[in-house]
Amino acid sequence: STTRRPLMAGNWKMNLNHLEANLLVQKLAASLTEKQLTEVETVVLPPFTDLRTVQTAVDGDKLLIGYGGQDLSPHASGAYTGDISGAMLAKLGCTYVVVGHSERRAYHHEDDTVVNAKVKAALTHGLTPILCVGEGLDVREQGTHVAHCSTQLDGGLAGLTAEQVRQVVIAYEPVWAIGTGKTATPEDAQEVCGAIRQRLAKQFDQDTADQVRVLYGGSVKASNAASIMAQPDVDGGLVGGASLDAEEFAQICRFPE
Ligand code: G3P
């Protein structure tokens, strides 16, 4: 993972209003040096209602922190009540957007076809999709987790050129490890992240596989980040709960030290 710049993204999920968002971003920036923020790309993924506030903080103080949305519509614009388009996110200065998070798949019945359309919509607007894949406990117990994640990967990237795939970030988030305090072992994370990279090489090409960043997500904390991030095919993390605490998230972002 030497040539891939590590990425640490904090997925706030449905937490923090815009006032709290401002505080967290300021604290995070104050806890990390410019060198640290340059070494590890640091990104926050707040609720939509916080994005304007985060933009104002980042622009106003020239913070080396990126930000993005947690979802986007597969459509460009129109009669889609409650949805947010990629164009709207891009206009606010977002550079990332989460696509196909397991909570969207579970609670909003998003299948690989919708996820694929969202990946394409993100790329159309110059946003980097963070495409999430991951198996539930039943699949893990059957031992078919690699095949499961490969299917989600293929589905999410269907119809993309290798050049487009190079703009995508993949996040492996085993559902049984999300918000449960049950972290995958570094070996578990490496097994699937490595398999994802091999799959990218097979479906696209080796160069693409070598360039794409593959993140691990699921109960990443300051105490376990370093050992997971040390794995050769893990290029960073997608952090939920622990990203809501500025000090802890800053510590996670300092993992190469
Ligand atoms: O997207 C991040 C995620 O689902 C992991 O959540 O709270 O287990 O770190 P958490």
Side-chain angles (χ1 to χ4, degrees):
S1 61
T2 42
T3 55
R4 296 182 293 271
R5 184 181 175 206
L7 168 65
M8 207 51 81
N11 175 7
W12 296 0
K13 308 194 177 182
M14 198 173 72
N15 295 291
L16 308 185
N17 62 40
H18 69 287
L19 301 174
E20 296 162 333
N22 190 49
L23 265 177
L24 179 49
V25 168
Q26 302 282 1
K27 274 200 209 166
L28 184 61
S31 306
L32 294 163
T33 62
E34 290 208 353
K35 184 171 174 278
Q36 286 163 341
L37 288 166
T38 308
E39 269 169 23
V40 176
E41 187 178 357
T42 302
V43 168
V44 294
L45 304 160
F48 293 131
T49 49
D50 297 358
L51 285 171
R52 178 61 157 185
T53 303
V54 171
Q55 177 196 38
T56 302
V58 167
D59 283 1
D61 290 322
K62 308 261 181 296
L63 307 179
L64 295 176
I65 291 178
Y67 55 92
Q70 297 173 12
D71 181 41
L72 82 167
S73 171
H75 306 288
S77 66
Y80 301 102
T81 302
D83 287 350
I84 300 290
S85 73
M88 292 168 179
L89 295 175
K91 194 76 179 163
L92 266 174
C94 290
T95 49
Y96 287 91
V97 64
V98 181
V99 176
H101 191 280
S102 59
E103 288 148 19
R104 303 284 321 171
R105 292 179 190 259
Y107 308 142
H108 297 269
H109 313 292
E110 293 190 7
D111 59 16
D112 287 333
T113 306
V114 172
V115 170
N116 180 235
K118 290 185 174 193
V119 167
K120 289 174 176 161
L123 292 171
T124 298
H125 297 286
L127 299 162
T128 298
I130 302 178
L131 169 62
C132 301
V133 302
E135 80 286 356
L137 189 59
D138 51 332
V139 172
R140 169 61 59 166
E141 281 170 348
Q142 282 162 26
T144 51
H145 44 284
V146 168
H148 177 94
C149 294
S150 297
T151 301
Q152 287 184 332
L153 186 74
D154 291 355
L157 300 178
L160 266 61
T161 63
E163 198 187 338
Q164 287 176 312
V165 172
R166 285 181 217 142
Q167 313 300 314
V168 178
V169 170
I170 309 296
Y172 168 54
E173 298 209 317
V175 179
W176 48 270
I178 296 176
T180 57
K182 260 184 131 191
T183 321
T185 63
E187 293 72 29
D188 289 338
Q190 169 56 29
E191 182 197 14
V192 181
C193 291
I196 286 171
R197 201 176 305 286
Q198 276 173 27
R199 186 82 187 169
L200 291 172
K202 181 164 178 273
Q203 303 292 74
F204 299 93
D205 55 66
Q206 190 61 48
D207 254 15
T208 302
D210 288 339
Q211 279 181 46
V212 169
R213 290 179 293 180
V214 182
L215 314 181
Y216 168 79
S219 297
V220 173
K221 298 185 272 286
S223 56
N224 61 26
S227 57
I228 298 172
M229 301 311 150
Q231 298 301 311
D233 286 304
V234 181
D235 305 314
L238 186 53
V239 186
S243 74
L244 300 174
D245 181 298
E247 259 318 305
E248 174 141 29
F249 190 54
Q251 222 175 305
I252 292 170
C253 294
R254 287 192 287 254
F255 72 82
E257 289 180 355

